[in-house]
Amino acid sequence: MSLTTSNVLAELHTNIRTRPVPWEAYVRSNIVTDADVKKIKAIDKVPRDKRADIVNKDGQGYARLVLGSDGVLQNSVTKSRGDIIQYMLMWTGDLLSDVPGFAHSLLALPKPYDLLISLLRGHDAPVPLLASAVLTTLLSTALTSSSKVGEDVKDALPKFYHYLCGVSRGGDHHEQDLAIQSYVSLLRTSYARTTFWYMREETANPLYRILHEAAHGSGSSNVGNDRNALGGSNIVQGGVPLQLLYHVLLTVWELTFEESVAEDLNQRYDDLIPAITDILRSSIKEKITRVCLALLANLATKSPSTNLPALLLTGILPHLQTLSTRFNSDSDPDLTADLSTLIAALEAFESEQTTLSSYKLEVMATHLRWSPPHRNEAFWKKHAREILDDKELVHALAKALATSVDKTVLAVAANDVGVLVREVPYARKRWEELGVKARVMELMGDTDAEVRYEALKAVQGFLQTAFSG
């Protein structure tokens, strides 16, 4: 991903590039040398291939010109010449885009990150963004070029993450998106991902808030002339610009390649999986659908024991099965592979979990939670009569409803009673004898909304079957 394709950077580069640069005056003021200016002009306004040829022949010379201890950028900082700082950062960004090998020339310098890191703070608004783009290219190149992480990278990466997380918390969607694009470029190696996760209170929390907003915001729409719309499109999802949302999802997807992160992610952010499935359900662009599926497939395969229960409880399986009819492996092998992986994992897990023995263990332990059987219609149709034939199990469910103070236990138990009454109407009198009907009527006045709702459904079940059996 090239950050120079970002709207905000492209606009900055264009504005800086169109300003006249009085090099001769700068030479007279000893800000730059005549040799510096000749090097700059040698590759100015020439075709890209010629520019690459000149720079490749003198890579170290051009690297020292930019980041050397007596280079133009350092001298401009020393003399507080913001206009030249901006120009040199723009110019360096162009070189890195046009001459990929130039990054290695810069990285061969001693302490190649220090000057750029210093530009992230205490300078006029464009300078940190321009420096950030150059840093992204250099650090991502260094991280992917060698399996051994150098000490200079170990020092610079957390500092750069610290800057990026500050931008990602800001209110400017363009700048947020630029910061998150930097994450996408950096998180291609295990070291970068584990460092990011170690700093998760700073780095991951802002991303979670964006996902939560997209999942629970005001839906998908056109935001008209909102200056914060991204990527030439005014489309938002849940109040979040679509391009920003896409890059946030890409970042989380990259993180899930670390098994330790995949295992920890939904436990740290306990409604992350529901948020992603909500985004998937309301997706209006295929690229959002694609990255959501890839992310969920990683979670399901990297750490099934922690993520499959949460995934199944979202009720996403029917939606995945519907999606599978819209795509085929010939036209979209990656997407269909992720869909197949998710559907197979969830179906296998559901069949394991929706057994009578697993349900009985849960009820007898009086630790009722919204595990798969409770909202599985096929489970109840298959096992309702068996459950009612098990006096011990029926008494345990009635006891949980009568004695528990846990609101989730009460809600789940009320749900189960309501389903059993509707599935086996002739057993209604047994529930009345156990005091269950009176208890669910009492719970209709509970302080917890979910308990009240499930109790109301159970009472409706009793009323509907009043003249049965």
Side-chain angles (χ1 to χ4, degrees):
M1 176 182 293
S2 173
L3 297 188
T4 55
T5 61
S6 161
N7 282 358
V8 65
L9 267 185
E11 185 178 342
L12 280 174
H13 278 214
T14 299
N15 289 341
I16 295 167
R17 201 178 289 115
T18 55
R19 298 173 194 163
V21 183
W23 290 117
E24 289 73 17
Y26 292 153
V27 171
R28 290 193 298 271
S29 301
N30 295 319
I31 298 171
V32 297
T33 67
D34 189 55
D36 293 335
V37 175
K38 286 180 180 177
K39 273 187 177 295
I40 292 169
K41 288 186 174 182
I43 59 172
D44 189 27
K45 298 177 182 178
V46 298
R48 179 177 293 190
D49 55 348
K50 186 176 180 181
R51 171 183 287 195
D53 187 53
I54 294 170
V55 173
N56 285 331
K57 286 179 180 176
D58 188 17
Q60 283 304 297
Y62 276 95
R64 287 192 297 271
L65 176 71
V66 176
L67 292 180
S69 58
D70 59 348
V72 176
L73 192 55
Q74 180 62 71
N75 290 338
S76 303
V77 172
T78 301
K79 297 185 179 183
S80 301
R81 293 306 306 249
D83 54 343
I84 309 179
I85 294 171
Q86 291 180 34
Y87 181 88
M88 290 306 297
L89 290 171
M90 176 278 297
W91 187 79
T92 304
D94 285 349
L95 276 188
L96 289 168
S97 177
D98 294 346
V99 191
F102 185 53
H104 295 284
S105 299
L106 290 171
L107 291 171
L109 295 172
K111 300 183 181 299
Y113 311 111
D114 288 8
L115 178 56
L116 294 167
I117 291 289
S118 72
L119 294 175
L120 299 176
R121 306 287 181 190
H123 291 269
D124 291 339
V127 170
L129 292 179
L130 294 164
S132 170
V134 175
L135 265 170
T136 297
T137 302
L138 293 187
L139 281 168
S140 60
T141 300
L143 286 162
T144 55
S145 297
S146 173
S147 57
K148 183 178 180 181
V149 181
E151 291 302 318
D152 53 349
V153 174
K154 292 180 181 178
D155 177 66
L157 188 61
K159 294 176 182 176
F160 190 34
Y161 279 163
H162 180 70
Y163 162 78
L164 292 174
C165 75
V167 178
S168 69
R169 286 196 301 263
D172 187 307
H173 284 151
H174 286 292
E175 294 186 6
Q176 277 184 307
D177 188 54
L178 192 59
I180 292 162
Q181 285 186 61
S182 290
Y183 286 146
V184 174
S185 294
L186 292 166
L187 293 173
R188 295 170 181 169
T189 67
S190 180
Y191 181 82
R193 293 190 290 264
T194 53
T195 302
F196 182 101
W197 192 243
Y198 180 77
M199 298 175 64
R200 60 186 170 271
E201 293 298 322
E202 288 186 83
T203 55
N205 285 5
L207 307 190
Y208 169 72
R209 285 193 288 271
I210 292 170
L211 291 177
H212 191 271
E213 181 184 353
H216 305 293
S218 57
S220 303
S221 65
N222 188 301
V223 296
N225 295 319
D226 183 355
R227 71 180 185 87
N228 282 328
L230 297 172
S233 170
N234 294 332
I235 299 173
V236 299
Q237 183 163 335
V240 177
L242 211 62
Q243 194 71 354
L244 174 60
L245 174 59
Y246 176 65
H247 291 138
V248 171
L249 289 165
L250 272 180
T251 300
V252 180
W253 170 68
E254 287 181 308
L255 288 171
T256 59
F257 281 91
E258 294 300 311
E259 286 192 16
S260 59
V261 177
E263 181 178 350
D264 203 22
L265 196 60
N266 197 59
Q267 295 179 4
R268 294 277 179 181
Y269 304 100
D270 58 5
D271 60 349
L272 179 69
I273 284 178
I276 294 167
T277 56
D278 284 345
I279 291 168
L280 175 59
R281 283 189 180 95
S282 59
S283 171
I284 55 174
K285 289 290 184 179
E286 188 176 304
K287 68 179 184 179
I288 299 294
T289 299
R290 182 183 304 278
V291 71
C292 283
L293 291 173
L295 197 169
L296 294 173
N298 265 9
L299 290 173
T301 55
K302 296 287 184 181
S303 184
S305 62
T306 55
N307 294 319
L308 283 177
L311 259 173
L312 194 59
L313 286 175
T314 64
I316 195 63
L317 182 54
H319 183 70
L320 297 176
Q321 291 164 335
T322 300
L323 279 178
S324 68
T325 66
R326 290 169 42 192
F327 301 96
N328 64 73
S329 58
D330 293 332
S331 62
D332 208 326
D334 292 336
L335 187 150
T336 52
D338 288 333
L339 263 175
S340 297
T341 296
L342 275 169
I343 291 170
L346 285 169
E347 286 179 341
F349 183 73
E350 184 178 45
S351 67
E352 292 170 4
Q353 296 303 305
T354 54
T355 63
L356 183 57
S357 59
S358 66
Y359 176 78
K360 184 173 182 178
L361 284 171
E362 186 179 335
V363 174
M364 298 306 294
T366 64
H367 189 65
L368 292 165
R369 289 295 181 264
W370 289 115
S371 57
H374 301 286
R375 285 174 170 159
N376 186 283
E377 186 177 347
F379 171 82
W380 293 113
K381 288 190 178 300
K382 182 178 180 180
H383 296 297
R385 284 173 174 76
E386 292 178 76
I387 290 170
L388 287 164
D389 288 341
D390 188 330
K391 292 182 180 180
E392 184 182 23
L393 185 56
V394 169
H395 280 267
L397 188 58
K399 182 180 178 182
L401 199 59
T403 63
S404 180
V405 294
D406 185 312
K407 299 300 184 182
T408 301
V409 170
L410 293 174
V412 175
N415 168 81
D416 292 4
V417 168
V419 176
L420 288 166
V421 168
R422 285 188 290 272
E423 288 294 328
V424 191
Y426 65 78
R428 177 179 55 84
K429 290 182 179 179
R430 188 187 311 175
W431 294 115
E432 292 176 355
E433 291 168 358
L434 290 170
V436 169
K437 180 181 177 181
R439 177 58 173 156
V440 291
M441 291 181 71
E442 179 185 345
L443 290 175
M444 288 172 62
D446 195 84
T447 57
D448 183 86
E450 186 176 42
V451 173
R452 292 197 303 272
Y453 175 69
E454 297 299 340
L456 174 62
K457 289 199 300 180
V459 170
Q460 288 173 340
F462 278 104
L463 294 175
Q464 289 167 3
T465 60
F467 300 101
S468 302

